[in-house]
C-alpha cells in the first residue's frame, strides 16, 4: 500500500508535544492517507478537552524535570537498547534521547484516547505511527548519534566510508542485509547434511538424505518447508539442523527444495503447487520407500500447502498414505493474522491480481525482497533500524548468524499462486470454510483424520500462537499442541543439544487457547524432545538403514543440496 504521505511529514518526535496540536496533526494525516480513505473517522478525534489538558499538564511536568536534569548536567540512563552505551549518558545526547522517548510516549498515549471502534483501522493507525516514531529516533541520524560520531573520530573517517559501502551494496541488492552474503556458503557452511536429489520438476527438487544411524524407522519423514526463502532454515549448520537431528534419531528424511521462481514460471498457480509439488513429492517418497505411509511435516506456509494437499488427496479418494502430520508455526485459520493484517485489504489484493496475478493481463513475480523487507519492518527497532545504524552510521560489519543469512536468502513467488494465497487466506479466510475449490475438488480440512502435532511460538509476530492453536479445531484426528518460547524462527530452530529456552505442554486441547495455557505445564529445554517422542509412535518398526538413495524409477540426479537452492 502506497504511504507516500507518512505521519513523519506531519509530526516529529523531536519537537515538544502539544496535545491539541498533535491531535489535529493526526486528523490531517489520517484524512490524507489512502489506508483510511474508506473509513468514517469523524468521531475518532472527539477527545474530551479535559483529558487533553490533563495529558498536557502531565507532559509539562515530565518535560520540566528533564530540563532540570539537563541544566544540572546530571547523567542520563536508559533501558532502551538504542541508547544503552555510555555516550548517551552525556547531557546533550542524553537529553535528545529522553525528549524523544517522552514525546513518543505521549503520542502513543494520545492514540489510546481516539474513539476507533473497528479493529483494523486501529491496528493500521498504531502500526503507521509506530513506524514514524521508530524512524525518527535520534540514534538513526549521524549528527545525533554519539556512537557513530565517536567511531568516525577514532577511525579517521573509515567507519563512515565503510558505512557508505554497506549502503551501496544493500541498494544494489534491493534489501537491507542483516548478514553479509559472504559469511556463509550454501553446501559448505549451511545445508551440508549428505543427501541426494532424487526427483525434480520446474517447481521443486526432492532431496533424500543419507542415513546418520545404523537403524531407521520404517516410515519416512517428508518435510515441506516454506516456499518463501530457501529450504535450509531446517538444515542450517550441523549443530542446529532439524534434518540432521531427525536422521540421527533414526528417521528417513525426504525434503522439498523449492525453486527460486523466474519469469519462466510466473504463471504457476496454487493448484500447481499442490498437485505438481506437494502431492508429487508424497508419491515419489512413497515409491522410493516401497509404498510406506509417511510422516509429514510442514513449516509456516509449507504447512498450509501440506494441509491443503492432504485435504485434496482425501477428496480424490487417496486415503491411508499418511501416518501423521506435524505443523510448525502454521496458519490454517486466518481469523487473527496479527500485525500482517494491516497490509491486506481488497484494494491491495485486487491491485496485485491485476499487476502480477494474471487477471486482465500477464502474470508476473512477487519479489522475495519485498516480503523480506515487510517482515523486517514488522519489528522496526529489532530488525530494521538497528541494522541501519550499525551498518551505515557506524560502518560495522553485521554479525555472522546463519538464521540471518537465511533470512536474506529470499525467493520469488509466481504471481497467480501468491495472489490466490493472499485472497483465500489473509483476505477471505476460505481454507476452513469447507467450500473452497482446489485441484478440481472441494477442500474439507475436517477430512484430515490423522494424528497431528501442532507447534506455536509464544513471541510470534508472523503466526500468533493462538492462531496456530486454532488448527486443533479444524482437523478431525487426535491433536497435540505444544507452545515453544521465542519467535517464528528461533522458536522452531531450537535443538536439544543447546539446552535453550522452554516450552509448554497440555494433554487436553480445549476450544479456548487461554484455558489451554492456564493448565499447561512448563518444561525446560527444547520442544524437539517432546516431538520426537511423539513422532516415534507413528514411525513404525526399526530396520537396518537404507544406504542407497532413490530407486530404478527415481535415480539420483545430483548430490544435495542441489541446484535449486543455489539459484
Amino acid at each position: 500500500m502506497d504511504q507516500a504521505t507518512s505521519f513523519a511529514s506531519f509530526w516529529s518526535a523531536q519537537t515538544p508535544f502539544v496535545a491539541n496540536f498533535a491531535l489535529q496533526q493526526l486528523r490531517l494525516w489520517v484524512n490524507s492517507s489512502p489506508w483510511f480513505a474508506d473509513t468514517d473517522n469523524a468521531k475518532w478525534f472527539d477527545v474530551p478537552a479535559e483529558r487533553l489538558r490533563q495529558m498536557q499538564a502531565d507532559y509539562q511536568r515530565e518535560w520540566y524535570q528533564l530540563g532540570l536534569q539537563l541544566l544540572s548536567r546530571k547523567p542520563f540512563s536508559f533501558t532502551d537498547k538504542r541508547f544503552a552505551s555510555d555516550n548517551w549518558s552525556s547531557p546533550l545526547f542524553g537529553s535528545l534521547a529522553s525528549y524523544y522517548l517522552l514525546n513518543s510516549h505521549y503520542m502513543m498515549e494520545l492514540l489510546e484516547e481516539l474513539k476507533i471502534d473497528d479493529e483494523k483501522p486501529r491496528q493500521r493507525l498504531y502500526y503507521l505511527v509506530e513506524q514514524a516514531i521508530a524512524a525518527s529516533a535520534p540514534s538513526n541520524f549521524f549528527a545525533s548519534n554519539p556512537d557513530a560520531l565517536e567511531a568516525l573520530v577514532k577511525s579517521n573517517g573509515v567507519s563512515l566510508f565503510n558505512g557508505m559501502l554497506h549502503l551501496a551494496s544493500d541498494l544494489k541488492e534491493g534489501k537491507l542485509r542483516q548478514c553479509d552474503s559472504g559469511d556463509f556458503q550454501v553446501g559448505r557452511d549451511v545445508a551440508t547434511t549428505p543427501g541426494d536429489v532424487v526427483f525434480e520438476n520446474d517447481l521443486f527438487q526432492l532431496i533424500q538424505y543419507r542415513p546418520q544411524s545404523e537403524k531407521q524407522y520404517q516410515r519416512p519423514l517428508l518435510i515441506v518447508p516454506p516456499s518463501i526463502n530457501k529450504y535450509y532454515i531446517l538444515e542450517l549448520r550441523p549443530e542446529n539442523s532439524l534434518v540432521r537431528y531427525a536422521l540421527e534419531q533414526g528417521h528417513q528424511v525426504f525434503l522439498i527444495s523449492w525453486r527460486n521462481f523466474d519469469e519462466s514460471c510466473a504463471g504457476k498457480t496454487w493448484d500447481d503447487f499442490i498437485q505438481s509439488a506437494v502431492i508429487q513429492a508424497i508419491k515419489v517418497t512413497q515409491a522410493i520407500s516401497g509404498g510406506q505411509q509417511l510422516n509429514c511435516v510442514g513449516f509456516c506456509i509449507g504447512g498450509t500447502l501440506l494441509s491443503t494437499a492432504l485435504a485434496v488427496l482425501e477428496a480424490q479418494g487417496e486415503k491411508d498414505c499418511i501416518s501423521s502430520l506435524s505443523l510448525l508455526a502454521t496458519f490454517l485459520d486466518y481469523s487473527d493474522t496479527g500485525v500482517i493484517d494491516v497490509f491486506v485489504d481488497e484494494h491491495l489484493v485486487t491491485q496485485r491480481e491485476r499487476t502480477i496475478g494474471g487477471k486482465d493481463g500477464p502474470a508476473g513475480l512477487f519479489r522475495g525482497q519485498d516480503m523480506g523487507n515487510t517482515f523486517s519492518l514488522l519489528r522496526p527497532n529489532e530488525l530494521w533500524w538497528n541494522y541501519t545504524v550499525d551498518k551505515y552510521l557506524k560502518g560495522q560489519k553485521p554479525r555472522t548468524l546463519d538464521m540471518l543469512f537465511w533470512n536474506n536468502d529470499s525467493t520469488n513467488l509466481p504471481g497467480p499462486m501468491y495472489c490466490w494465497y493472499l485472497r483465500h487466506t489473509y483476505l477471505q479466510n476460505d481454507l476452513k470454510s469447507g467450500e473452497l475449490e482446489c485441484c478440481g475438488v472441494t477442500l474439507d480440512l475436517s477430512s484430515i483424520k490423522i494424528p497431528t502435532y501442532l507447534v506455536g511460538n509464544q513471541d510470534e509476530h508472523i503466526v500468533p500462537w493462538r492462531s496456530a492453536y486454532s488448527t486443533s479445531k479444524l482437523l478431525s484426528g487426535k491433536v497435540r499442541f505444544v507452545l515453544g518460547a521465542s519467535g517464528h524462527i528461533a522458536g522452531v530452530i531450537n535443538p536439544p543439544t543447546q539446552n535453550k529456552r522452554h516450552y509448554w505442554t497440555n494433554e487436553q486441547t480445549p476450544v479456548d487457547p487461554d484455558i489451554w495455557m492456564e493448565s499447561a505445564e512448563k518444561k525446560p529445554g527444547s520442544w524437539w524432545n517432546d516431538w520426537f517422542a511423539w513422532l516415534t509412535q507413528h514411525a513404525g518398526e526399526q530396520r537396518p538403514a537404507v544406504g542407497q538413495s532413490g530407486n530404478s524409477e527415481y535415480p539420483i540426479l545430483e548430490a544435495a543440496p542441489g541446484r535449486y537452492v543455489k539459484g
Side-chain angles (χ1 to χ4, degrees):
M1 181 71 72
D2 181 15
Q3 291 295 328
T5 307
S6 71
F7 185 55
S9 62
F10 285 78
W11 174 84
S12 170
Q14 306 299 335
T15 57
F17 177 82
V18 180
N20 274 301
F21 184 52
L23 185 66
Q24 297 310 313
Q25 288 175 310
L26 273 172
R27 185 199 302 268
L28 288 172
W29 168 67
V30 164
N31 288 328
S32 70
S33 171
W35 262 4
F36 308 105
D38 299 325
T39 58
D40 181 7
N41 57 58
K43 296 182 180 180
W44 289 8
F45 304 96
D46 293 339
V47 181
E50 180 59 33
R51 177 64 185 125
L52 292 175
R53 285 193 292 270
Q54 183 60 52
M55 287 182 63
Q56 193 63 49
D58 293 343
Y59 173 83
Q60 292 298 136
R61 183 167 54 254
E62 293 187 53
W63 185 88
Y64 176 74
Q65 292 298 324
L66 289 177
L68 288 179
Q69 186 173 354
L70 172 62
L71 292 174
S72 62
R73 303 183 65 81
K74 292 182 179 179
F76 289 81
S77 61
F78 304 94
T79 57
D80 192 308
K81 292 181 180 179
R82 293 172 292 179
F83 314 115
S85 79
D86 291 341
N87 290 325
W88 288 100
S89 66
S90 68
L92 173 60
F93 295 107
S95 62
L96 284 174
S98 294
Y99 283 122
Y100 159 78
L101 293 172
L102 179 64
N103 294 334
S104 301
H105 168 76
Y106 275 91
M107 176 52 70
M108 296 306 297
E109 189 171 312
L110 180 60
L111 290 187
E112 293 285 347
E113 300 297 325
L114 301 188
K115 301 175 181 178
I116 308 176
D117 295 327
D118 295 334
E119 183 61 22
K120 187 152 190 168
R122 175 178 288 277
Q123 284 184 328
R124 285 184 156 181
L125 185 61
Y126 272 69
Y127 171 78
L128 293 174
V129 171
E130 286 174 342
Q131 292 293 323
I133 288 174
S136 61
S139 53
N140 296 339
F141 302 94
F142 189 82
S144 55
N145 188 316
D147 297 331
L149 294 172
E150 182 182 59
L152 176 72
V153 173
K154 288 185 175 181
S155 67
N156 293 318
V158 173
S159 63
L160 186 58
F161 177 75
N162 289 339
M164 294 303 99
L165 292 179
H166 288 312
L167 177 60
S169 177
D170 287 354
L171 288 173
K172 184 177 179 180
E173 286 199 48
K175 58 188 173 186
L176 171 63
R177 271 206 161 272
Q178 295 146 338
C179 182
D180 279 358
S181 58
D183 285 350
F184 296 92
Q185 181 178 320
V186 176
R188 183 196 67 190
D189 309 297
V190 293
T192 61
T193 302
D196 302 287
V197 175
V198 293
F199 176 84
E200 70 177 45
N201 59 22
D202 54 358
L203 292 171
F204 76 103
Q205 288 186 321
L206 183 67
I207 299 173
Q208 180 180 3
Y209 288 93
R210 299 170 195 164
Q212 297 291 319
S213 61
E214 292 185 359
K215 290 187 176 182
Q216 288 184 317
Y217 289 102
Q218 180 181 2
R219 295 169 182 160
L221 187 66
L222 173 62
I223 301 176
V224 184
S227 53
I228 302 167
N229 291 62
K230 304 294 179 63
Y231 82 80
Y232 60 87
I233 184 57
L234 300 173
E235 228 281 85
L236 293 167
R237 293 171 294 116
E239 55 266 35
N240 62 355
S241 166
L242 185 147
V243 168
R244 181 178 287 269
Y245 191 83
L247 290 165
E248 291 171 348
Q249 302 306 303
H251 294 276
Q252 303 176 61
V253 178
F254 292 76
L255 181 145
I256 287 177
S257 173
W258 296 105
R259 184 175 180 178
N260 184 9
F261 297 96
D262 56 23
E263 291 295 340
S264 67
C265 294
K268 296 295 183 181
T269 66
W270 181 266
D271 283 14
D272 291 327
F273 272 65
I274 300 303
Q275 193 71 56
S276 301
V278 180
I279 291 178
Q280 181 67 51
I282 289 173
K283 291 182 176 180
V284 173
T285 302
Q286 282 189 298
I288 292 174
S289 62
Q292 294 292 334
Q293 285 187 317
L294 309 182
N295 292 305
C296 292
V297 184
F299 180 16
C300 192
I301 188 177
T304 310
L305 287 162
L306 175 60
S307 301
T308 303
L310 297 187
V312 168
L313 286 173
E314 286 288 338
Q316 292 175 344
E318 300 189 39
K319 305 176 183 294
D320 301 325
C321 59
I322 307 300
S323 177
S324 74
L325 172 65
S326 298
L327 299 176
L328 318 180
T330 294
F331 275 127
L332 292 184
D333 181 353
Y334 287 74
S335 300
D336 176 14
T337 58
V339 70
I340 295 177
D341 185 57
V342 304
F343 300 105
V344 183
D345 58 19
E346 181 63 40
H347 176 81
L348 169 69
V349 176
T350 300
Q351 187 262 348
R352 291 290 191 187
E353 288 172 338
R354 289 176 177 172
T355 54
I356 64 173
K359 183 178 181 181
D360 301 327
L365 295 173
F366 177 66
R367 297 192 326 139
Q369 294 96 322
D370 294 342
M371 180 70 77
N373 290 338
T374 298
F375 282 160
S376 292
L377 284 169
L378 295 178
R379 298 170 62 183
N381 290 325
E382 293 89 359
L383 296 175
W384 189 270
W385 291 110
N386 56 325
Y387 289 102
T388 65
V389 169
D390 290 343
K391 290 181 64 176
Y392 308 152
L393 302 189
K394 301 178 187 178
Q396 296 176 352
K397 181 182 182 298
R399 59 178 175 159
T400 300
L401 184 63
D402 51 2
M403 291 184 189
L404 294 177
F405 177 81
W406 169 86
N407 192 52
N408 293 145
D409 198 2
S410 55
T411 58
N412 304 318
L413 292 177
M417 175 269 186
Y418 166 73
C419 291
W420 190 100
Y421 174 66
L422 201 60
R423 174 169 292 282
H424 293 294
T425 58
Y426 283 94
L427 182 64
Q428 297 177 182
N429 193 19
D430 292 332
L431 280 181
K432 68 174 185 176
S433 68
E435 301 175 354
L436 186 62
E437 295 291 324
C438 180
C439 298
V441 299
T442 301
L443 289 181
D444 181 8
L445 294 177
S446 67
S447 68
I448 302 175
K449 301 176 181 179
I450 54 179
T452 302
Y453 192 100
L454 303 177
V455 178
N457 296 306
Q458 186 183 33
D459 298 326
E460 271 271 11
H461 67 291
I462 295 177
V463 182
W465 76 265
R466 291 174 178 83
S467 296
Y469 182 89
S470 66
T471 295
S472 64
K473 302 309 165 190
L474 299 180
L475 310 180
S476 298
K478 185 177 180 181
V479 172
R480 180 173 180 79
F481 180 81
V482 171
L483 180 64
S486 196
H488 189 65
I489 303 302
V492 171
I493 310 304
N494 184 25
T497 53
Q498 296 182 6
N499 197 28
K500 287 184 177 180
R501 306 185 184 96
H502 48 266
Y503 62 99
W504 290 264
T505 64
N506 190 334
E507 300 304 319
Q508 305 300 317
T509 51
V511 174
D512 190 337
D514 293 311
I515 293 177
W516 179 94
M517 189 64 186
E518 287 175 3
S519 56
E521 180 183 357
K522 184 178 179 180
K523 299 180 179 180
S526 170
W527 61 268
W528 288 20
N529 289 321
D530 184 87
W531 180 47
F532 278 102
W534 177 89
L535 193 61
T536 299
Q537 302 171 29
H538 308 285
E541 298 178 354
Q542 284 192 318
R543 60 189 184 184
V546 179
Q548 178 63 40
S549 297
N551 60 17
S552 58
E553 185 181 2
Y554 298 106
I556 295 172
L557 302 178
E558 62 178 322
R563 304 186 317 282
Y564 283 10
V565 75
K566 298 179 180 180

